[in-house]
Amino acid sequence: MLPHKQIELKLQAAVLEILPDADVSAVLVRPCDPKFGDYQSNALMSLAKVRKTNPRQLATDTLAKLDVSEVCEKVEIAGAGFLNFRLKNSALVQTLETAARGEHLFFDKAAKPKTIVIDFSSPNVAKPMHVGHIRSTGIGDALQRTLRLLGHHVISDNHIGDWGTQFGKLLLGWKQALDRAALECDAIAELERLYKVINAECDANPERLEEAKAELVKLQAGDAENISIWKEMIRLSQIQFDTIYSRLGVNFDHALGESFYNPWLGEVVNDLLAKKIARESEGAVGVFSDGSLPPKEDPFLVNRDGEWIADPALVRKSDGGFNYTTTDLATIAYRLKTWSPDEIVYVVDDRQSGHFKKLFLVLARWKPDATKRTKLIHVGFGKILGDDGKPFKTRSGDTVKLGDLLDEAEARAFKIVSGKNSELSEAQRKEIARVVGLGAVKYADLLPNRQSDYIFSWDKMLALTGNTAPYLLYAYARIKSIFRKSEAESEIRNPRSAIALAEPEEIALAKHLLNFGITLEAVAEEYRPNYLCNYLFELAVHFSRFFENCPVLKAEDAAMRDSRLALCGLAARVLKQGLETLGMEIVQQM
Ligand code: ARG
């Protein structure tokens, strides 16, 4: 067991001796400023606060029951009741040595693995995937990888938008304006064109709109011709999606699109009506506020000119069609029944936060038992902006297609790689540029706090210094080059070789390695891959300080050389595992 886990378990046991009824699940330790120690716990202060007792006294009492002398120096109480822990050198060395033998990589699998459904990417059929899709796809993929690494049972599901009113217009366009040659050449562009043409006509001419609606009604009624055209549109879109996913290295366990849930939508609405959760209003059916929340926090109300008016979650339109919410309710019912998950996580744009607030509240009223068992979480994110602070667009003002963006990333990376590695063959440089370019786009998207908007900048994301993908990939390649120069090709060293830590840079690197697992847990806990980005960047910085100050291949003696090589190997393995967990590939040289 890793030292921080041992400290946590012992601390929890000590707290229980003092406060037998306390919930100690939040009694955790976190890495802290080295001025104070290696780990810190602030849990006693919150426990004392709830109980209105003196936190320092609680800390003193707990400390009297706590024996962590196996892994820590003397524990200190600081400030209002923080506990500071400093690792013993022996515990640090032992953890490094077991890792060097390949027994672990500084993280433990979850003690209680959870079943987690994660809904991400979810593009819409007949539309090109654009730059915005990198967000849900990249964050979702990093989360599924992190959760899997920690031993959770993850079910990823791409909730593709393959149903909805847009198909009325698309069908009309397909029947009346399709350019077969254009479809052959770029199917999605042609579908997009058809939609635009018919949409403009519908805006100008109500009769066209009626025609489009009639096509939609026929599709919904199962008309054979419309069904087959619709299926063809899905097939063509799927080819586009799959090309992008394979390029990005993103996999899903399922891709159950919205249409999959059609058979249940009527039942959902009837059940909501029967249970008096939904009611009719102006011919439509919706779920309204139940008055249980203050108006300001009630997503079923909006303020218009100082007055609170109803903003229901609609589940059936006046024409009998169903809504986005209806499909999402049927989807949850299916996921609950099929997988009995502990969590369902939605990685979707923050602009849909109102939808998810309503959805989760409707569910709590519809299936109260399920919501007690299953946690529903909306993992939202902000926008990608251009230099002008407005949503990122091409020069001509169009949305940036994801495929084009990835092409450009590789092309730009190729220039940089060629400038740096002119001795490599073109094929080698292309392959490195592919990894660097795609990695740069993904990393730049994962690095900011996911809820903030960020400005898309090629120069920043492709810079060789600073917190960027190229810098991290280079750090990895540099360690690999040390191994190429030594006769020890393998990162996993001779199991008997002992690790000795003397220089401050060695100790700092070693301690940072030990925080890999805590970081992964924090990513999983808060659904924030940026924690891992920052951890890896700091790891690269620690490594580089170590490497500048502590000769490895030219170390004073063989024992020191082996010990330092082992540290290099561990840093390489953590970097590689970390980058892969972010969905990035690595390169052996750069
Ligand atoms: N297709 C939707 C969109 O592009 C996102 C779907 C998200 N997932 C969900 N279960 N609602 O806006």
Side-chain angles (χ1 to χ4, degrees):
M1 200 190 308
L2 293 168
H4 81 270
K5 273 272 138 83
Q6 289 182 47
I7 302 174
E8 255 169 28
L9 290 183
K10 291 206 165 148
L11 181 60
Q12 291 174 356
V15 168
L16 282 177
E17 279 193 54
I18 309 291
L19 306 170
D21 58 337
D23 171 10
V24 291
S25 60
V27 175
L28 304 172
V29 298
R30 289 285 165 254
C32 67
D33 187 327
K35 268 198 297 227
F36 306 119
D38 298 317
Y39 302 104
Q40 186 169 69
S41 177
N42 58 13
L44 299 185
M45 295 182 325
S46 9
L47 282 176
K49 197 170 173 201
V50 187
R51 272 151 233 269
K52 302 199 166 58
T53 57
N54 180 336
R56 269 196 90 97
Q57 188 57 48
L58 178 61
T60 312
D61 296 345
T62 307
L63 210 55
K65 304 277 181 203
L66 181 69
D67 178 9
V68 286
S69 56
E70 209 184 308
V71 290
C72 290
E73 308 286 357
K74 190 173 166 297
V75 185
E76 275 162 14
I77 303 175
F82 288 99
L83 291 183
N84 292 337
F85 303 86
R86 202 175 286 278
L87 274 186
K88 276 190 174 157
N89 194 52
S90 56
L92 181 59
V93 165
Q94 201 205 355
T95 311
L96 294 166
E97 285 179 347
T98 47
R101 290 203 293 266
E103 288 174 27
H104 64 82
L105 195 59
F106 309 107
F107 62 90
D108 292 310
K109 297 261 174 196
K112 291 190 198 106
K114 290 189 265 190
T115 299
I116 302 172
V117 176
I118 159 158
D119 175 324
F120 71 98
S121 197
S122 312
N124 296 327
V125 162
K127 284 196 195 156
M129 281 181 88
H130 58 78
V131 56
H133 287 108
I134 195 75
R135 302 232 68 190
S136 173
T137 309
I139 297 170
D141 188 44
L143 292 177
Q144 77 162 334
R145 286 168 186 264
T146 307
L147 292 165
R148 284 215 172 94
L149 188 66
L150 291 174
H152 296 292
H153 174 218
V154 177
I155 298 145
S156 53
D157 187 9
N158 193 355
H159 192 71
I160 293 174
D162 60 0
W163 196 252
T165 50
Q166 73 273 27
F167 285 102
K169 290 171 186 168
L170 283 164
L171 281 161
L172 191 62
W174 184 283
K175 289 181 181 178
Q176 300 189 352
L178 182 64
D179 176 344
R180 284 266 164 204
L183 191 76
E184 296 276 311
C185 160
D186 184 345
I188 304 304
E190 175 59 6
L191 291 175
E192 211 190 3
R193 185 191 70 84
L194 289 178
Y195 183 83
K196 280 192 190 147
V197 168
I198 303 296
N199 197 37
E201 289 180 14
C202 288
D203 283 347
N205 178 354
E207 275 166 39
R208 282 304 259 173
L209 190 61
E210 286 314 309
E211 278 180 72
K213 279 191 185 160
E215 292 297 345
L216 183 67
V217 171
K218 273 167 75 183
L219 174 71
Q220 288 166 337
D223 172 81
E225 186 192 6
N226 281 12
I227 293 274
S228 93
I229 299 173
W230 166 70
K231 284 199 171 145
E232 182 61 7
M233 292 194 237
I234 295 180
R235 192 187 66 82
L236 293 167
S237 302
Q238 194 64 51
I239 296 173
Q240 175 218 199
F241 299 154
D242 288 344
T243 313
I244 298 233
Y245 292 139
S246 89
R247 211 168 159 185
L248 291 174
V250 175
N251 292 300
F252 298 91
D253 300 308
H254 303 276
L256 301 173
E258 293 182 21
S259 67
F260 176 78
Y261 302 96
N262 282 343
W264 297 292
L265 302 182
E267 265 172 56
V268 169
V269 176
N270 290 340
D271 200 34
L272 290 171
L273 282 168
K275 294 192 169 126
K276 303 220 178 317
I277 294 163
R279 64 176 159 85
E280 279 199 42
S281 161
E282 296 164 31
V285 176
V287 179
F288 291 75
S289 168
D290 64 359
S292 63
L293 289 170
K296 263 194 177 154
E297 287 159 35
D298 190 332
F300 299 97
L301 296 176
V302 278
N303 198 307
R304 289 263 159 78
D305 306 324
E307 221 184 308
W308 292 104
I309 58 167
D311 184 21
L314 293 177
V315 291
R316 197 169 73 201
K317 298 177 205 168
S318 51
D319 67 5
F322 299 104
N323 301 70
Y324 188 47
T325 305
T326 329
T327 307
D328 258 329
L329 286 168
T331 306
I332 299 178
Y334 177 85
R335 289 173 177 166
L336 292 173
K337 190 178 77 195
T338 314
W339 298 301
S340 314
D342 299 288
E343 289 177 15
I344 305 177
V345 179
Y346 297 85
V347 187
V348 185
D349 194 329
D350 262 337
R351 281 174 292 190
Q352 293 195 26
S353 68
H355 164 72
F356 286 105
K357 274 192 197 130
K358 284 181 183 167
L359 181 68
F360 298 168
L361 286 170
V362 173
L363 189 83
R365 279 152 75 179
W366 186 36
K367 297 184 183 290
D369 292 340
T371 29
K372 271 174 220 142
R373 184 183 181 294
T374 305
K375 194 164 117 187
L376 297 164
I377 306 121
H378 172 212
V379 171
F381 51 80
K383 295 186 283 290
I384 305 182
L385 306 176
D387 285 335
D388 54 0
K390 299 205 184 103
F392 185 47
K393 293 267 162 68
T394 62
R395 265 175 219 281
S396 53
D398 295 324
T399 48
V400 180
K401 296 194 175 134
L402 190 48
D404 295 346
L405 184 94
L406 300 180
D407 290 344
E408 183 165 355
E410 288 185 30
R412 284 177 182 259
F414 184 70
K415 279 202 192 124
I416 296 172
V417 171
S418 297
K420 219 169 134 25
N421 303 276
S422 49
E423 75 289 357
L424 298 178
S425 74
E426 180 171 339
Q428 281 174 311
R429 281 179 283 136
K430 280 243 152 80
E431 174 55 11
I432 297 173
R434 184 186 67 77
V435 174
V436 173
L438 299 181
V441 172
K442 282 189 182 190
Y443 190 81
D445 193 71
L446 292 170
L447 179 62
N449 172 338
R450 60 179 159 74
Q451 277 121 330
S452 24
D453 297 342
Y454 75 89
I455 294 178
F456 189 93
S457 158
W458 287 119
D459 291 342
K460 229 168 128 185
M461 74 177 73
L462 285 165
L464 287 161
T465 51
N467 194 348
T468 66
Y471 176 72
L472 293 179
L473 291 170
Y474 175 68
Y476 179 75
R478 181 154 81 151
I479 308 179
K480 295 306 281 192
S481 82
I482 303 170
F483 282 94
R484 277 195 297 274
K485 282 183 208 135
S486 88
E487 68 275 23
E489 272 294 329
S490 157
E491 289 161 11
I492 296 190
R493 298 283 303 131
N494 179 348
R496 275 159 309 162
S497 75
I499 290 182
L501 304 168
E503 300 302 324
E505 294 85 6
E506 276 178 314
I507 296 173
L509 172 62
K511 286 186 171 172
H512 193 71
L513 286 169
L514 259 66
N515 290 339
F516 185 42
I518 300 192
T519 307
L520 292 171
E521 282 164 24
V523 172
E525 188 82 19
E526 296 178 44
Y527 314 98
R528 294 194 185 282
N530 58 317
Y531 293 166
L532 181 54
C533 298
N534 287 318
Y535 170 84
L536 295 175
F537 173 63
E538 284 164 26
L539 176 60
V541 170
H542 278 299
F543 182 80
S544 134
R545 282 189 202 134
F546 155 77
F547 196 62
E548 277 154 30
N549 291 290
C550 310
V552 177
L553 296 178
K554 294 200 173 87
E556 279 164 33
D557 55 46
M560 188 186 279
R561 177 177 174 278
D562 276 1
S563 168
R564 288 185 177 164
L565 265 175
L567 269 185
C568 292
L570 290 171
R573 282 168 60 207
V574 171
L575 258 177
K576 178 166 186 264
Q577 179 68 74
L579 290 168
E580 284 173 0
T581 306
L582 293 174
M584 291 161 65
E585 292 177 60
I586 39 109
V587 286
Q588 301 299 323
Q589 52 182 335
M590 191 176 149

